[in-house]
Amino acid sequence: MNKWNEETVVSEAVRAEDGLWMHEPSKTPQLLNPVVLAYMGDAVFEMMVRQFLIAQANHKPNHLHKQATRYVSAKAQRQLLERWAPLLTEEEADIVRRGRNTKSGTPPKNADPADYRQATALECLVGYLYYGRQVERLRELMTVAFETNEG
């Protein structure tokens, strides 16, 4: 195999391993603003919930939406963060504190402000793990969410 082919094979393997990562953030996850981490974490969390729901039997849109709200509402995310708390490393707990203490805007009218802050903290952690490419850790934590919220 010539040099170009070897580089192509390695490059394709790296791309396949990267999954949906297309653009690196401008800073390391540790230096990103917690609101930015939460912004990405919100999308990643929702995608993981949707993947889980689509893996289940009932694919009716109304059912999918109803089930998704069991995971993605501010109250549900606060409750999930409480279940995750004993499992978090010191570094993860620090990211959660940063996310909870950040000014992230006005909470939605239907969300309790305290729940909204905790939901932002959870999303901040998910964004941090995502950008840190800690996919296996994300899977571990999401498994807890799905085990305790099925039915």
Side-chain angles (χ1 to χ4, degrees), residues 14 17-19 21-25 29 127-138:
V14 169
E17 181 182 287
D18 286 347
W21 281 286
M22 293 178 64
H23 304 280
E24 291 294 324
Y128 178 81
L129 293 173
Y130 173 79
Y131 273 132
R133 296 183 183 230
Q134 297 182 49
V135 177
E136 193 54 42
R137 181 61 174 150
L138 262 174

Side-chain angles (χ1 to χ4, degrees), residues 7-123:
E7 289 174 2
T8 302
V9 170
V10 170
S11 176
E12 288 175 7
V14 169
R15 277 190 298 230
E17 181 182 287
D18 286 347
L20 292 176
W21 281 286
M22 293 178 64
H23 304 280
E24 291 294 324
S26 59
K27 301 175 184 175
T28 65
Q30 296 83 354
L31 298 178
L32 285 171
N33 184 313
V35 174
V36 172
L37 291 172
Y39 176 74
M40 180 54 79
D42 176 52
V44 171
F45 185 82
E46 177 129 3
M47 182 183 67
M48 293 180 86
V49 167
R50 287 180 181 204
Q51 286 176 348
F52 172 74
L53 295 175
I54 291 170
Q56 307 306 304
N58 191 342
H59 292 163
K60 295 177 184 167
N62 187 43
H63 176 78
L64 290 170
H65 176 72
K66 185 177 178 182
Q67 292 302 306
T69 60
R70 295 176 61 203
Y71 298 95
V72 299
S73 70
K75 181 179 178 182
Q77 288 180 331
R78 177 198 42 88
Q79 291 170 341
L80 177 56
L81 187 58
E82 289 172 0
R83 290 196 307 268
W84 282 359
L87 309 173
L88 299 180
T89 66
E90 192 174 315
E91 176 185 12
E92 292 166 346
D94 184 53
I95 295 299
V96 166
R97 276 189 294 279
R98 284 179 51 204
R100 185 179 53 237
N101 294 333
T102 194
K103 300 282 187 215
S104 60
T106 307
K109 291 178 185 175
N110 62 343
D112 176 86
D115 287 351
Y116 185 73
R117 286 180 46 213
Q118 293 290 81
T120 300
L122 177 137
E123 292 167 351

